[in-house]
């Protein structure tokens, strides 16, 4: 059996050790706060705290909240309390170490700031990738795009206007999701009994008017995620115009783009002036036309933004060709996580429009089981044609 | 009752529980916090609530969740037919106000699970089954009830819990639950039982099964779970399988491949699983288990 950590005599006793344990859990990504700490201490009063098995089980029940945390808890518990009899000098990170980390992060920042300026024009290493927008770019590049591209050259204002109209129609098509819960309504398919009884009181129990209830339409939110990596250069124009249109016609919509990293572009695209919106977008889209890390980007999305903005009433629209430089497993896992939010996933793939296209790219194959609708799209007209399918979704 | 006593009491009811889970249940009782159980289908999440009710000698009130679950199904509803009849019967007597006071009284109230749970004299076990099937609105609403255990009915006023129910929520991960709900609850992940635990479950539930066959059944089911299956057999399936074997008078799994393959109907519940687990595979698994 692993031996219990010996604590130094200088620390302030059990409650300080518990506080240290909380900090240890927080450092390792568990979401524990003051109320959890309180609950944990209360829980320990209910068991025999000298028995490691009992206190382990008790703390596990109180401090974890999902299967993943549950599985990691034992290791975290061991590393703090069962440290093989090693003496732990400090239970809380002292001020000294804190200032250390502040110092180091500051110096790192300085380095980054220095490097950051040069990055746009000359990133790390190897040249010889000059033909950034050469044809036949179907293989995703691992190198980051060097040339900073102005999106205003890519997207035309007229396109945005047309896209706006299409996006508005698609938005309406998606919105036609009926709630399962009925609400009082002028015209409805069921009688609203509660109202009926109330009203009939005035007429001596005679129900003269029959109030109705119906299933109201519930708004669905659209979240668009657009791939702007090198292999998508040709199609990004269409998709970005579409997203710009979508953002302007629908206040609840949300948009992201990714190449080697994920960027939220919703705010930038809401600018009233479409050209200025694209200008702001260009600043955000540094790296446009470079390599693509779909798995990593979607994973980042699923872990961060999706937790806040994606729920059962969201349609996630991914616009990508599925050529990934990362591992297919990560993409599959990201899609699984995303799908667990309860959303609908539409994947629009420009290559699917090609004759004889098969989704053989490993990434695409891994993602497919989690996709509700997989359709070709490389022109605005294709997007417009989606309307009836979205109605059925 | 401490954790070990609880474990013994649950075992007496035929439910063998792991240490983790026993502690979670014990703390839920001691701290009066809801307990969220997650795990695959068929590992006995719902059963815990039933057993706990038996151990505590109290009522089990169950709310099955589904999308679109609303107040009239979860909390209360007025008995409209009765109300209508009552209004008509009293058409000649009483002012409108009196009629109103009468028809919106206790007598015309239909209790649904949540209201029933907070109006018990003795704290019941409230099982909110498959909470992940309900939508986000209901989850938010449930949070409110779980925090103050009171329900407001406009016509009757606020009803406060006479005794705080023991709340057990189950989920099998069809969608993510909100962090707020997770934070309010204690958490336990219920997994498929290990060999020893499952063996004691089988002995507790089917005392008539022979020791050798019991070992074979558990070995077989445990290794079947490791195969690539669409639907992994749970504990209930294992018990069905044992019952089927006993019913057919089988004493040794390896004796008759045809009967074994036929009894697979109790374990494999999808067409592709039936197709993929061929007689050769069942024979190999049975041979290993023997």
């Amino acid at each position: 059996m692993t031996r219990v950590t010996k604590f130094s005599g200088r620390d302030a006793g059990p409650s300080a050790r518990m506080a240290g344990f909380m900090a240890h859990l927080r450092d390792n990504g568990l979401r524990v706060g003051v109320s959890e700490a309180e609950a944990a201490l209360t829980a320990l009063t209910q068991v025999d705290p000298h028995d490691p098995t009992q206190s382990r089980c008790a703390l596990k029940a109180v401090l974890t909240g999902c299967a993943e945390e549950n599985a990691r808890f034992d290791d975290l518990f061991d590393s703090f309390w069962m440290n093989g009899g090693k003496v732990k000098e400090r239970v809380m990170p002292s001020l000294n170490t804190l200032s250390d980390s502040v110092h180091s992060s500051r110096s790192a920042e300085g380095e980054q700031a220095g490097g950051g300026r040069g990055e746009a024009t000359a990133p790390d290493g190897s040249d010889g990738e000059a033909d950034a927008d050469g044809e036949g770019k179907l293989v995703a590049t691992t190198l980051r795009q060097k040339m900073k591209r102005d999106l205003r050259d890519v997207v035309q204002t007229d396109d945005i206007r047309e896209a706006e109209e299409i996006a508005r129609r698609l938005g309406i098509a998606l919105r036609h999701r009926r709630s399962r819960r009925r609400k009082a309504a002028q015209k409805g398919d069921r009688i609203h009994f509660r109202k009926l009884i109330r009203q009939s009181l005035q007429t001596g129990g005679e129900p003269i008017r029959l109030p109705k209830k119906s299933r109201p339409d519930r708004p669905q939110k659209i979240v668009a995620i657009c791939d702007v990596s090198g292999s998508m250069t040709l199609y990004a124009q269409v998709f970005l115009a579409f997203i710009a249109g979508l953002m302007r016609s629908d206040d609840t919509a949300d948009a992201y783009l990714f190449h080697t990293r994920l960027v939220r572009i919703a705010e930038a695209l809401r600018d009233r002036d479409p050209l200025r919106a694209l200008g702001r977008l260009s600043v955000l889209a540094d790296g446009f036309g470079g390599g693509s890390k779909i798995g990593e980007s979607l994973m980042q999305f699923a872990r961060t933004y999706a937790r806040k903005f994606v729920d059962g009433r969201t349609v996630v629209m991914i616009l990508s060709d599925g050529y990934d430089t990362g591992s297919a497993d990560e993409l599959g896992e990201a899609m699984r996580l995303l799908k667990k939010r309860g959303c609908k996933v539409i994947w629009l793939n420009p290559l699917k429009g090609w004759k004889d296209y098969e989704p053989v790219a490993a990434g695409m194959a891994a993602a497919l089981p989690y996709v509700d609708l997989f359709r070709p799209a490389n022109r605005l007209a294709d997007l417009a044609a989606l309307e009836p399918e979205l109605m059925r979704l | 009752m401490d954790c070990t006593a609880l474990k013994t009491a649950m075992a007496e009811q035929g439910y063998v529980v792991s240490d983790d889970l026993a502690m979670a249940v014990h703390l839920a009782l001691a701290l009066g916090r809801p307990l969220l159980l997650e795990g695959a289908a068929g590992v006995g999440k719902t059963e815990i609530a039933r057993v706990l009710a038996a151990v505590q000698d109290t009522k089990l009130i169950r709310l099955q969740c589904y999308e679109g679950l609303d107040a009239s199904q979860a909390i209360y509803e007025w008995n409209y037919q009765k109300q209508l009849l009552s209004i008509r019967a009293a058409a000649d007597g009483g002012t409108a106000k009196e009629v109103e006071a009468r028809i919106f009284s206790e007598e015309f109230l239909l209790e649904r699970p949540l209201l029933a749970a907070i109006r018990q004299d003795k704290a019941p076990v409230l099982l909110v089954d498959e909470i992940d099937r309900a939508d986000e609105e209901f989850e938010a609403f449930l949070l409110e009830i779980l925090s103050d255990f009171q329900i407001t009915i406009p016509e009757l006023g606020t009803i406060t819990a006479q005794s705080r129910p023991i709340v057990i929520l189950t989920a099998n991960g069809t969608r993510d639950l909100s962090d707020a709900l997770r934070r309010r609850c204690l958490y336990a992940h219920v997994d498929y039982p290990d060999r020893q635990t499952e063996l004691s479950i089988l002995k507790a539930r089917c005392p008539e099964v022979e020791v050798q066959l019991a070992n074979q059944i558990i070995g077989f089911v445990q290794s079947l779970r490791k195969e690539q299956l669409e639907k992994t057999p749970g504990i209930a399936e294992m018990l069905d399988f044992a019952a089927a074997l006993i019913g057919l008078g089988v004493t040794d799994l390896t004796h008759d491949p045809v009967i074994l393959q036929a009894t697979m109907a109790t374990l494999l519940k999808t067409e592709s699983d039936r197709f993929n687990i061929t007689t050769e595979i069942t024979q190999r698994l049975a041979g290993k288990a023997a």
Side-chain angles (χ1 to χ4, degrees), chain A residues 31 35-36 46 54 57-58 60-61 64-67 70 181 193-194 198 205-206 311-313 340, chain B residues 20 23 26 30 67 69 76 80 83 87-88 100 135-137 155 173 175-176 179 182-183 187 189:
Chain A
R31 279 158 292 165
S35 66
E36 278 80 10
Q46 301 291 330
Q54 278 204 24
C57 291
K60 196 178 191 175
T64 64
C66 63
N70 211 40
R181 202 168 280 142
F193 269 105
R194 193 170 178 142
R198 276 230 166 266
E206 215 64 64
D311 59 17
R313 261 164 234 162
K340 265 194 94 179
Chain B
D20 276 8
M23 180 56 79
H26 167 63
E67 197 191 335
L69 179 67
Y76 71 95
Y80 301 120
Q83 279 180 328
I87 299 173
R88 298 301 290 274
E100 191 177 336
D135 38 24
E136 283 91 359
E137 281 85 356
E155 292 88 351
R175 72 175 172 82
D176 281 347
D179 283 349
R182 287 186 188 279
R183 287 198 54 196
Y187 179 86
H189 189 262

Side-chain angles (χ1 to χ4, degrees), chain A residues 61-327:
Chain A
V62 175
L63 297 174
T64 64
C66 63
E68 196 190 330
E69 289 174 6
N70 211 40
R72 282 176 58 207
F73 187 83
D74 279 340
D75 288 342
L76 294 175
F77 184 90
D78 283 343
S79 68
F80 191 85
W81 300 104
M82 300 293 195
N83 203 3
K86 268 185 230 145
V87 176
K88 207 173 189 85
E89 284 296 335
R90 290 188 297 264
V91 282
M92 292 293 279
S94 74
L95 281 173
N96 205 0
T97 52
L98 259 181
S99 66
D100 254 8
S101 69
V102 168
H103 179 75
S104 65
S105 83
R106 205 178 275 149
S107 63
E109 215 169 87
E111 270 170 34
Q112 255 173 13
R117 224 165 283 132
E119 208 169 48
T121 45
D124 48 347
S126 58
D127 299 337
E129 226 251 335
D131 53 340
D133 40 3
E135 298 101 289
K137 264 212 171 275
L138 290 176
V139 184
T141 43
T142 39
L143 287 170
R144 270 189 64 171
Q145 175 57 271
K146 287 158 202 156
M147 201 169 68
K148 199 165 177 182
R149 184 193 292 258
D150 194 336
L151 288 175
R152 277 172 289 198
D153 301 339
V154 182
V155 184
Q156 312 295 317
T157 342
D158 285 351
D159 285 344
I160 298 186
R161 259 181 234 118
E162 197 189 336
E164 222 170 293
E165 174 57 23
I166 293 170
R168 197 182 55 78
R169 291 219 316 271
L170 290 187
I172 292 170
L174 282 171
R175 205 144 307 194
H176 262 296
R177 168 66 59 86
R178 285 293 178 80
S179 164
R180 294 194 179 234
R181 202 168 280 142
R182 281 164 216 275
K183 269 194 171 161
Q186 286 294 318
K187 288 178 182 165
D189 53 347
R190 295 271 175 90
I191 291 176
H192 195 312
F193 269 105
R194 193 170 178 142
K195 236 178 170 174
L196 180 131
I197 299 280
R198 276 230 166 266
Q199 288 183 355
S200 72
L201 278 175
Q202 299 163 0
T203 50
E206 215 64 64
I208 292 180
R209 277 187 39 226
L210 295 181
K212 296 281 178 62
K213 55 181 176 180
S214 72
R215 288 164 48 179
D217 282 348
R218 288 197 306 198
Q220 296 241 73
K221 212 171 72 180
I222 304 176
V223 175
I225 306 176
C226 183
D227 182 351
V228 290
S229 60
S231 54
M232 288 285 290
T233 316
L234 281 169
Y235 316 105
Q237 177 188 359
V238 177
F239 289 154
L240 284 176
F242 171 70
I243 291 179
L246 181 72
M247 299 307 292
R248 297 166 64 75
S249 66
D250 183 348
D251 288 339
T252 59
D254 203 357
Y256 303 82
L257 57 78
F258 68 87
H259 29 85
T260 48
R261 64 203 168 89
L262 184 80
V263 191
R264 181 151 192 247
I265 53 173
E267 295 308 320
L269 282 177
R270 285 242 159 77
D271 203 311
R272 256 175 311 157
D273 177 1
L275 264 182
R276 199 168 60 204
L278 287 174
R280 288 176 64 181
L281 186 60
S282 313
V283 180
L284 289 173
D286 171 24
F288 182 85
S292 58
K293 290 185 181 156
I294 306 181
E296 204 179 303
S297 304
L298 283 183
M299 185 58 102
Q300 192 193 341
F301 177 72
R303 288 249 163 89
T304 54
Y305 296 111
R307 295 188 78 111
K308 268 190 261 171
F309 302 122
V310 174
D311 59 17
R313 261 164 234 162
T314 310
V315 177
V316 178
M317 199 180 261
I318 300 172
L319 310 156
S320 168
D321 56 5
Y323 282 102
D324 193 356
T325 49
S327 86

